[in-house]
Amino acid sequence: MAEVETFTHDVLVIGAGGAGLRAAIEAAARGARVGMVTKSLLGKAHTVMAEGGVAAALANVDDRDNWRVHFADTMRGGQYLNNWRMAELHAREAPDRVRELEAWGAVFDRTADGRILQRNFGGHRYPRLAHVGDRTGLEMIRTLQDHAIHRGIDVHMEVTIVTLLTDGRRVTGAFAYDRERGRFKLFEARAVVLATGGVGRAFSVTSNSWEYTGDGLALAYRAGAALQDMEFVQFHPTGMVWPPSVKGLLVTEGVRGEGGVLRNSEGRRFMFDDIPENYRSQTADNPDEGWRYVQGDKSARRPPELLTRDHVARCIMREVRAGRGSPHGGVYLDIAWIKEKIPNAADHIKKKLPSMYHQFKQLADIDITKEAMEIGPTTHYMMGGIRVDGDTQMTTVDGLFAAGECAAGLHGANRLGGNSLSDLLVFGKRAGEHAAAFAAQHQPARIDPAAVEAASGTALAPFGRSGGEQPYQVQHELQGMMQQLVGIVRREDDLRDALDRLGALRERSEAVSVPGNREYNPGWHTALDLPNLLTVSEAIARAALERRESRGGHFRDDYPEKDPAAAGYNILVSRGADGTMQLTRQPVPPVPVELQQIIEEQKS
Amino acid sequence: MTTATFRIWRGEHNAGAFADFDANVVDGMVVLDVVHQIQAEQAGDLACRWNCKAGKCGSCSAEINGKPRLMCMTRLSDLDLARPVTIEPMRAFPHIRDLVTDVSWNYGVKQRITPFTPRAPDAPDGTWRMQQRDVDRVQEFRKCIECFLCQDVCHVLRDHQRHDTFIGPRFLVYAAALEMHPLDTADRIEELREADGIGYCNITKCCTTVCPEGITITDNAIIPLKERVVDRYYDPLAALVRLVRGSPRAE
Ligand SMILES: Cc1cc2nc3c(=O)[nH]c(=O)nc-3n(C[C@H](O)[C@H](O)[C@H](O)COP(=O)(O)OP(=O)(O)OC[C@H]3O[C@@H](n4cnc5c(N)ncnc54)[C@H](O)[C@@H]3O)c2cc1C
Ligand code: SF4
Ligand code: SF4
Ligand code: FES
């Protein structure tokens, strides 16, 4: 049997982004012995890249804000496919989670009277995003990381989980390799929290890092958990499109929140052309009103650039397809124009959007205080994920919890910007709390040595083969194929084609070979990520085929309208007894009357 | 499209050598793109770290043409491609493989620094009031992405290997962020002088020069901390005042 080092924890947290760190802190605070693993070094997880802000109805900038408005905004943004309980808890608890960060040392931007400043973002009725310039994620992850290191948590950096272990119904631990030496590690745990983030690497144009291969979703799926809402992938409207090497890199929505406008190649501000009915009463109908709104005029309505991301992304696609795009296939995002409105605009932009200024200057040689940016949609966020219970975050496997981007439910068909960072805090905490409670109530379960043996055999297989392709080639083709066939605009024949090709790619992935040895070998790591990417991609394609309508992040060219009959169900994906993917339509539980009332009240 | 040569350090645990790779380069590429291209086409096991490709995570630190830099923020158009571009791992940390070094020491250092300790909340609802002008100062330090390039270039660590007695510029920045945090009440002056070895720094400013976040490490963080240490321990007037007042803090 392969040599395996064993660690024992009450709670094992997989992932050290915002959700994982918050879960680990909470579980430790409740007396659990906590282990946390991460594929990268501590503090490098995706959360570090988040820019615009964290949504919480603190009402520091506009006192009309409160949890009810945030709840209603989130439900409308998600087109009512959200798990209402999660949307409720999230809206209620986010303010406390943000204040708690301040108590742990986070330094947010301030209002004139010294409180936490909040900014505008798409789909949020009032300025609601607490932020630090445009590096909010860095502030959050650093605060959590620095707080966590004094809490007695065992951190296993650059360790990747490849298999969850179960005794059939309940999770018993996890099997991993470390990057540095390529050695195997076995984690025995009474409860496991998945906080592995998203799946953006399944597409070629993405704002996501190499880590985003959907590991948590695939691990949970193989362990018997259900996935849900997999068709809802968020394409952020504004990614960089030029130069090619930065294609996909995010341009924060904060640019629009600070007054940035979208224009096509004819110079037309096209977002006024198509304002959806359910947002019309809250959206400005002329540029002047929009400007007054971003300047804090409470009588003004928000500019159409701040409509939800799915809508803005589709409007951009429309301009590009109609031949009114920019030279590199995008449109223009202009913040420089505010110099017509305020003195010192250049300094203002550098102060409010320092890393955007830096990013364009350094990578595209563009000064955003003087010129417009060229931008287009990029794969950004996964609304779908592991199905969890709204209160406890437990999946459909006992003792297995999930939080953050890898869990589904809060966002429904489309996520509002800023709602992810607050999601991590609210549900990271809840997952840690309930995992600790589960661990306290259960004895450790036996780990099956045969399962460990099998896992190590599978992991080493790519070294045993020769003459196969490099894993990068398969990954590259998968990404291109998904972008083209399962991307922003979907069609039945494309989706069927994608499923066929996924089958072929799976065969190829099973034949890849890798050079070198086990020590810090990225080729090997890529080979081990492939099965996860393939599983997640298949789930996205199957769910997209099943949802014959357009809603939120999911747009079907052959069914461009919303189907009222489809408003009532989530699509679940789980593994059947024969190992194939099974889809079921799960009715969305009815929203309780009190919450229904809140939604109605906020519609005006 | 042009071809350029990239001279990349390859090997394990310091036993290594440069290997030349020819790669096709196009407009707008950064060094990290080339490394990925070589990984995908020529050397599948070439080890490097990266995450964000946007200068935000601090993972892709390396020495490019001898200078500590982020691979993802170094544009090829800023390099002389007529000559081979050298890419090496950071040299102040133990080598693991190819471009990857063992930076775990840094994580241990931070853990030893007295953590953030806030004063009681200012408002009955448990929140604090701070002015933007007061937080501006620490926000500069909090921009740090922990790339450890400053640690890499600091001669105290790089040449003199004082890892056991000197925390290095990154953690002096961290200590400054805590010391100057408007809410913090802990006192780190003694540990700065003793365990953190602030005295080793002789303000050569090499760290400030390489910081990709443009943090003025020396002038804004280290010098003010040094002044606090000096005020506490070496200023006879302050010592007298302390004696009279019986106060542990020299303010
Ligand atoms: C550029 C960008 C800007 C964004 N801006 C905002 C914003 O302004 N506001 C907002 O609300 N949201 C924003 N988002 C979204 C938000 O940042 C992410 O959704 C969120 O950070 C996800 O956090 P997480 O804790 O779920 O996962 P992550 O922070 O991604 O952490 C995942 C962790 O899991 C680990 N992991 C993964 N697989 C494994 C495995 N197999 N074994 C071991 N460990 C594993 C990883 O190493 C990592 O530590 C942005 C996203 C991007 C990309
Ligand atoms: S200024 Fe001090 S900390 Fe910075 S490089 Fe020089 S000696 Fe090191
Ligand atoms: S202070 Fe600057 S150089 Fe040093 S680790 Fe932080 S970001 Fe990097
Ligand atoms: S990859 Fe994140 S800083 Fe370079």
Side-chain angles (χ1 to χ4, degrees), chain B residues 12 24 59 92 201 203 226:
Chain B
E12 283 157 35
N24 291 327
S59 303
C201 164
I203 328 258
K226 274 180 173 278

Side-chain angles (χ1 to χ4, degrees), chain A residues 106-348:
Chain A
V107 189
F108 292 101
D109 286 350
R110 317 306 296 179
T111 60
D113 65 352
R115 294 182 297 163
I116 295 174
L117 181 62
Q118 300 185 271
R119 72 158 40 125
N120 289 305
F121 241 54
H124 292 281
R125 183 155 192 177
Y126 302 119
R128 188 178 282 147
L129 269 72
H131 62 278
V132 189
D134 51 10
R135 54 165 191 85
T136 313
L138 172 65
E139 187 68 19
M140 251 180 67
I141 201 166
R142 203 63 84 229
T143 302
L144 291 168
Q145 172 190 343
D146 294 352
H147 189 74
I149 58 173
H150 301 289
R151 302 262 137 5
I153 296 159
D154 291 323
V155 182
H156 307 270
M157 289 199 271
E158 299 200 308
V159 168
T160 302
I161 303 290
V162 288
T163 314
L164 291 177
L165 301 163
T166 61
D167 69 358
R169 286 193 2 263
R170 186 188 141 190
V171 70
T172 57
F175 179 77
Y177 67 84
D178 77 84
R179 287 180 102 67
E180 187 177 333
R181 306 276 180 177
R183 283 175 303 209
F184 291 133
K185 294 190 187 307
L186 175 63
F187 297 93
E188 299 174 338
R190 297 172 193 223
V192 173
V193 178
L194 289 165
T196 54
V199 302
R201 282 271 140 192
F203 297 85
S204 57
V205 181
T206 177
S207 65
N208 292 181
S209 82
W210 66 270
E211 294 194 304
Y212 264 30
T213 48
D215 293 8
L217 281 70
L219 292 170
Y221 170 82
R222 289 198 294 269
L227 308 180
Q228 97 178 25
D229 295 343
M230 293 298 288
E231 66 278 28
F232 297 123
V233 180
Q234 181 166 78
F235 298 94
H236 192 292
T238 64
M240 290 176 81
V241 295
W242 182 260
S245 69
V246 298
K247 193 166 174 152
L249 209 66
L250 193 75
V251 179
T252 175
E253 192 168 319
V255 176
R256 283 170 284 144
E258 298 295 342
V261 300
L262 291 165
R263 290 208 180 88
N264 62 20
S265 61
E266 295 163 2
R268 181 176 171 76
R269 193 168 162 192
F270 58 84
M271 286 305 299
F272 281 106
D273 299 351
D274 172 21
I275 297 168
E277 194 50 51
N278 57 341
Y279 281 97
R280 193 154 296 161
S281 65
Q282 291 177 17
T283 307
D285 48 23
N286 66 76
D288 178 60
E289 184 179 8
W291 171 250
R292 284 190 286 117
Y293 176 90
V294 297
Q295 288 303 100
D297 179 344
K298 291 186 181 167
S299 67
R301 293 169 300 174
R302 70 182 111 125
E305 275 82 4
L306 290 178
L307 284 161
T308 54
R309 290 178 175 177
D310 53 338
H311 179 74
V312 179
R314 272 197 297 278
C315 289
I316 292 174
M317 291 294 286
R318 179 193 67 210
E319 295 304 308
V320 173
R321 285 169 142 201
R324 296 188 293 266
S326 67
H328 303 105
V331 295
Y332 297 101
L333 171 60
D334 186 7
I335 181 82
W337 81 281
I338 68 171
K339 61 179 177 272
E340 295 166 18
K341 296 282 187 184
I342 55 172
N344 279 334
D347 287 343
H348 179 79

Side-chain angles (χ1 to χ4, degrees), chain A residues 44 48-49 209-210, chain B residues 32 36 49-61 69-73 145 147 212:
Chain A
K44 311 297 182 194
V48 81
M49 294 160 69
S209 82
W210 66 270
Chain B
L32 187 60
H36 284 157
R49 283 198 182 103
W50 73 283
N51 280 64
C52 68
K53 208 170 173 287
K56 294 193 173 116
C57 72
S59 303
C60 66
S61 309
R69 304 184 71 164
L70 297 176
M71 290 193 278
C72 70
M73 296 304 273
I145 55 174
C147 63

Side-chain angles (χ1 to χ4, degrees), chain A residues 31-48:
Chain A
R33 290 167 307 159
V34 180
M36 181 165 60
V37 292
T38 146
K39 274 168 109 165
S40 294
L41 297 171
L42 200 53
K44 311 297 182 194
H46 228 73
T47 302
V48 81

Side-chain angles (χ1 to χ4, degrees), chain A residues 40 42 44 51 105 107 109-110 114 139 143 146 149 158 209-210 245 359 362 472 517 519 522-523, chain B residues 28 33 44 46 49-51 53 56-57 75 97 107 110-111 116 130 132 136 139 142 146 174 181:
Chain A
S40 294
L42 200 53
K44 311 297 182 194
E51 295 163 347
V107 189
D109 286 350
R110 317 306 296 179
E139 187 68 19
T143 302
D146 294 352
I149 58 173
E158 299 200 308
S209 82
W210 66 270
S245 69
Q359 180 172 315
Q362 209 152 341
Y472 302 105
N517 60 29
E519 293 200 4
Chain B
D33 293 318
L46 172 61
R49 283 198 182 103
W50 73 283
N51 280 64
K53 208 170 173 287
K56 294 193 173 116
C57 72
R75 287 211 320 214
R97 179 175 180 160
Y107 291 88
K110 186 189 261 182
Q111 211 166 8
F116 176 68
M130 290 184 262
Q132 186 64 42
D136 277 345
Q139 282 186 340
R142 295 186 65 91
E146 300 200 329
Y174 179 65
H181 195 301

